[in-house]
Amino acid sequence: MAASTLLISGTDTGVGKTTLTACLATYCQIYHPDRRLGIYKPIQSGIGDREYFRAALNLPYALEQITPLYYQTPVASAIAARREQQPVDLGLLWQHLQTWQAHTDLLLVEGMGGLGSPITWEYLNADLARDWHLPVVLAVPLRLGAMGQAIAHLALARLAQVQVIGLVVCCTEPHSRQYLEDWFPPALISRLLTVPILGILPYVPDLRDRSALARAAAQLELGYLGIF
């Protein structure tokens, strides 16, 4: 049986992709312990997500399995690859995806930046999602400008023929309900968007608190994802 695979993408960097990925992964570990879970971040520039995932989620994988293509320069992969003279090998990344899918029941793929972020000088994250046939969950931060970014990303997804399952509003810092209504009113957004809002991911102050991560995931409309 092929693994259920989701691409967790976002409208930018620092919008909550890592937190959302960790929440979904922890929910799976706690409530579906019989499912073989994998987390795959194809490319990483600088120390960060792969180290966090392995430590915080107690993953029994080497860093090279989580992220096969690593650059020390903490910039976009297309730029890091040129600086370090290590080209982005898309074939290698595809092979690792197939290996993950063959040995897991649920695979969460964390994207590199937004759908419009470049992987190479000619290839975007949206191109990868299309070519790998990955359904996307889009993380959108609760902040000024988020509505426009969300709408633009959904337009890009349609242009690239990428399936976006839904959108998750991510609180990257504590916010009141009034703040949500002021900057990302659900009633208005539901009229403008062509995909469902899967919920609001609350702020999680300690990203190593597994119980808090799982509780945050439980507040989302997980049924839309088709993975649990």
Side-chain angles (χ1 to χ4, degrees), residues 107-136:
L107 178 61
L108 301 176
V109 181
E110 186 183 350
M112 295 70 68
L115 285 176
S117 298
I119 296 176
T120 72
W121 291 82
E122 299 86 16
Y123 199 74
L124 305 178
N125 275 281
D127 298 320
L128 181 142
R130 178 198 61 226
D131 293 344
W132 288 9
H133 304 289
L134 297 180
V136 172

Side-chain angles (χ1 to χ4, degrees), residues 113-190:
L115 285 176
S117 298
I119 296 176
T120 72
W121 291 82
E122 299 86 16
Y123 199 74
L124 305 178
N125 275 281
D127 298 320
L128 181 142
R130 178 198 61 226
D131 293 344
W132 288 9
H133 304 289
L134 297 180
V136 172
V137 175
L138 190 67
V140 181
L142 180 55
R143 66 189 184 203
L144 179 64
M147 281 194 292
Q149 290 181 328
I151 292 169
H153 270 71
L154 291 177
L156 172 60
R158 288 195 298 271
L159 183 64
Q161 298 182 320
V162 171
Q163 177 194 7
V164 178
I165 296 176
L167 177 153
V168 174
V169 180
C170 297
C171 296
T172 56
E173 56 185 280
H175 289 304
S176 67
R177 186 73 191 186
Q178 186 59 53
Y179 188 94
L180 171 68
E181 292 292 341
D182 288 343
W183 297 115
F184 210 95
L188 174 59
I189 294 302
S190 63

Side-chain angles (χ1 to χ4, degrees), residues 2-185:
S4 297
T5 307
L6 283 180
L7 174 63
I8 312 300
S9 189
T11 54
D12 202 342
T13 57
V15 298
K17 294 191 307 296
T18 299
T19 302
L20 177 56
T21 303
C23 287
L24 294 175
T26 306
Y27 183 91
C28 179
Q29 289 177 324
I30 292 177
Y31 296 108
H32 299 274
D34 57 320
R35 303 198 70 186
R36 297 172 299 169
L37 171 70
I39 295 183
Y40 182 35
K41 175 138 187 169
I43 307 174
Q44 182 173 306
S45 298
I47 295 175
D49 292 340
R50 66 176 185 168
E51 290 81 7
Y52 161 70
F53 286 138
R54 190 177 69 163
L57 305 180
N58 298 316
L59 297 177
Y61 307 118
L63 293 177
E64 294 74 17
Q65 290 176 281
I66 299 172
T67 302
L69 191 52
Y70 175 78
Y71 297 103
Q72 294 188 11
T73 310
V75 295
S77 59
I79 300 172
R82 176 164 290 188
R83 287 186 183 178
E84 298 182 21
Q85 299 184 339
Q86 181 187 359
V88 174
D89 187 343
L90 294 172
L92 171 69
L93 303 183
W94 169 249
Q95 291 171 5
H96 275 262
L97 175 76
Q98 292 181 305
T99 299
W100 273 114
Q101 290 179 326
H103 295 91
T104 56
D105 301 309
L106 171 60
L107 178 61
L108 301 176
V109 181
E110 186 183 350
M112 295 70 68
L115 285 176
S117 298
I119 296 176
T120 72
W121 291 82
E122 299 86 16
Y123 199 74
L124 305 178
N125 275 281
D127 298 320
L128 181 142
R130 178 198 61 226
D131 293 344
W132 288 9
H133 304 289
L134 297 180
V136 172
V137 175
L138 190 67
V140 181
L142 180 55
R143 66 189 184 203
L144 179 64
M147 281 194 292
Q149 290 181 328
I151 292 169
H153 270 71
L154 291 177
L156 172 60
R158 288 195 298 271
L159 183 64
Q161 298 182 320
V162 171
Q163 177 194 7
V164 178
I165 296 176
L167 177 153
V168 174
V169 180
C170 297
C171 296
T172 56
E173 56 185 280
H175 289 304
S176 67
R177 186 73 191 186
Q178 186 59 53
Y179 188 94
L180 171 68
E181 292 292 341
D182 288 343
W183 297 115
F184 210 95

